Amino acid sequence: MDAVRVLFETQPLFTLLLTVALGYVVGEINIKGVSLGSGAVLFVGLAIGGFAPKAAPPALVGTLGLLLFLYGIGIQYGAQFFDGLTSTRGLKANAAAVLGVLGAGIVSLALVPMFGLKLDESLGIFAGAGTSTATLQAVIAAMKGDGAAVGYSVAYPFGVAGPILLLYVLGAALKAKIEAPAAKVIEMAEISLRNPALIGLRFSQLKVQLPAGLTIAAVRREHHNQLPEEDLVLRMDDVLLATSTDPARLREAAALLGELQPGRMSSHREDLDYVRVFASSRAVVGLALRDIRFPDGIASSIVQVRRGDADMLPSPELILEVGDRVGLLANRAHLKALRQLFGDSIKGTAELSFISIGIGAAAGLLAGMIPLPIPGVGKLTLGLAALLLIALCLGKIRRSGPFVWTMPLSANLVLRNFGLTIFLAQVGISSGPKFFATIATTGASFLLYSLLVVLALVLVTALVCLWIFRMPFDVAAGVICGATGNPAILAFANRVAPTEQPDIGYAMIFPSMTIAKILFVEIAMALARG
């Protein structure tokens, strides 16, 4: 065993990667639907750190990992975050989550005078109860000790399992029966124009009368398919190719226009053919559909955008992202040029701009150094919270001239999950010795304190969502996920409430609550120093 200890302590990079590997093995262990996921890396790191006290990698390694995690979160959820700040639903959701965070923070601070905890230990418990690694980093950077990591590591399991258990109990108590919605898929209908009131109208005039969520992708006239021009004058027996993700809209269109005539267009592709391409070129990524310019002499229509597992009806405001699969109608002779325009490279879905990442992350770090005066508290620096804010803004902007700030979803997930894993491994190894020393002296008391903070966070958030704002259960589940923060909780919520609402709630709440938790501990530490 001494030889293994020496190996760990003399080869910190080997120890770090071994911790990551063993952590994910442990994280996959599932007990009645509950698993720790990447959080298990922290506990393996604690065990290895306790066994080999001098094995910790440099702290800069962990800081870099957390930077990658926060930057990826901000870039992906920028649009949803700002929507949450402006919409009525988003404001209510953020208000509920803020009250939950404040409740947990007050309980954690009360542990200091009531039970004699150190401030960094109580704030570490607060960070662990909210499973917020960024909050932990803020406390560690300011307090210069191991107490925060110890409190975090004790509270983290409760921060993951507690909300999951509560969601299960709430779902059973409220008898919430939520069925998974059907996947959004673009459907088409060929409709022969027979309504005399519409004959002679220009196509631009017809569009304003169509049902919402429906578009006309092509027109067949005199045995030829063509793209609909704004000044096209409609004739009797024109066949219109209508598309929508809602079959009811297609039925409404058929009743308005005339009658269904399936097969008259799809079986004739000599004029227009359908092709699906990957969006991977800078010429289109980050642009709204209305701003995409096709090469001279090439006429084409975007009839479908598939992002992830869902179809999206094209609208002029829809912004293309790397990896989107775009459905086009065009003449076969133009397909090669269109593929060049869009890139059509599956490799591009895994590539990212290190120039954009470098500029964005550097700007965030610089903003985090700026001292901000807060009345009654003093001057505070946001640190990595500022980086998250900058990333959220860039995620909202998406593109500035030649700089594409967004990343392919696959690359984003890999980058931020790797960063989070490295951070947890480094913190766990470096905090292992102090963790075991603390548990040996405090026994089960830290476990009880952690449970109290987690209950305050989850119960206050759930109470405000369900009984004050009267949110539907699936919406409330998303808010609870965003307030608590751990992706494992979101995964469980998606099983309990299999709609898109938990994902939307998480996206709106998680970034702002990460910032709220960091600000809470920054203010608490500033007041303690004053």
Side-chain angles (χ1 to χ4, degrees), residues 31-356:
I31 301 175
K32 295 185 177 181
V34 179
S35 60
L36 290 175
S38 60
V41 175
L42 176 68
F43 302 111
V44 173
L46 288 170
I48 291 179
F51 172 71
K54 298 179 182 179
L60 182 63
V61 174
T63 302
L64 176 61
L66 184 59
L67 181 151
L68 296 175
F69 172 72
L70 291 177
Y71 189 81
I73 286 288
I75 289 296
Q76 180 175 349
Y77 291 134
Q80 293 92 331
F81 170 73
F82 285 102
D83 178 68
L85 294 180
T86 55
S87 66
T88 301
R89 182 186 67 170
L91 291 174
K92 289 182 177 180
N94 274 282
V98 164
L99 290 174
V101 169
L102 287 176
I106 292 171
V107 171
S108 66
L109 291 180
L111 298 175
V112 176
M114 292 178 63
F115 300 103
L117 266 69
K118 296 179 181 178
L119 180 62
D120 60 342
E121 293 173 340
S122 68
L123 293 179
I125 290 175
F126 169 74
T131 64
S132 175
T133 51
T135 306
L136 172 62
Q137 173 65 18
V139 182
I140 292 175
M143 304 297 285
K144 308 296 183 184
D146 298 329
V150 172
Y152 180 92
S153 59
V154 174
Y156 188 94
F158 292 98
V160 176
I164 290 175
L165 180 60
L166 179 68
L167 285 172
Y168 176 80
V169 172
L170 284 175
L174 298 175
K175 298 180 180 179
K177 295 182 179 180
I178 302 174
E179 296 183 359
K184 289 186 177 181
V185 177
I186 294 285
E187 298 193 17
M188 301 183 181
E190 299 177 20
I191 306 172
S192 180
L193 184 60
R194 300 290 175 82
N195 185 347
L198 302 178
I199 305 303
L201 293 181
R202 296 184 183 276
F203 181 72
S204 59
Q205 296 172 309
L206 172 67
K207 288 199 300 184
V208 300
Q209 302 185 39
L210 293 174
L214 180 139
T215 61
I216 301 299
V219 177
R220 182 170 180 80
R221 175 181 293 176
E222 297 177 354
H223 309 295
H224 292 281
N225 298 333
Q226 64 185 78
L227 298 176
E229 302 290 342
E230 293 293 306
D231 58 353
L232 177 69
V233 179
L234 299 172
R235 300 179 186 176
M236 183 70 74
D237 291 330
D238 282 348
V239 179
L240 309 180
L241 180 63
T243 64
S244 178
T245 57
D246 186 353
R249 302 286 84 80
L250 295 177
R251 292 192 292 269
E252 291 179 25
L256 171 67
L257 299 173
E259 61 181 288
L260 295 173
Q261 295 285 337
R264 294 182 61 182
M265 300 184 72
S266 58
S267 59
H268 298 277
R269 301 195 176 190
E270 61 275 6
D271 299 303
L272 291 178
D273 202 354
Y274 176 84
V275 64
R276 181 181 285 183
V277 297
F278 280 100
S280 60
S281 168
R282 290 189 179 184
V284 297
V285 169
L287 293 181
L289 296 188
R290 63 170 175 268
D291 297 327
I292 294 177
R293 297 291 178 262
F294 293 102
D296 292 338
I298 294 180
S300 179
S301 175
I302 298 175
V303 297
Q304 176 192 33
V305 176
R306 187 167 181 83
R307 182 171 298 164
D309 296 329
D311 283 341
M312 308 174 70
L313 196 65
S315 66
E317 298 77 22
L318 180 63
I319 297 177
L320 282 185
E321 295 184 1
V322 177
D324 286 347
R325 286 158 288 173
V326 182
L328 301 168
L329 283 179
N331 189 281
R332 292 178 182 177
H334 300 154
L335 296 186
K336 181 178 180 180
L338 289 172
R339 286 193 173 98
Q340 291 177 344
L341 172 66
F342 283 86
D344 197 27
S345 171
I346 194 170
K347 292 182 179 179
T349 64
E351 294 178 354
L352 47 87
S353 171
F354 288 100
I355 297 176
S356 298

Side-chain angles (χ1 to χ4, degrees), residues 16 33 75 108 126 145 147 155 173 233 268 323 347 371 384 388 405 431-433 440 449 471 474-475 487 521:
L16 180 75
I75 289 296
S108 66
F126 169 74
V233 179
H268 298 277
K347 292 182 179 179
L384 289 181
L388 177 58
W405 304 112
S431 305
Y449 304 152
M471 295 180 182
D474 56 342
V475 176
V521 299

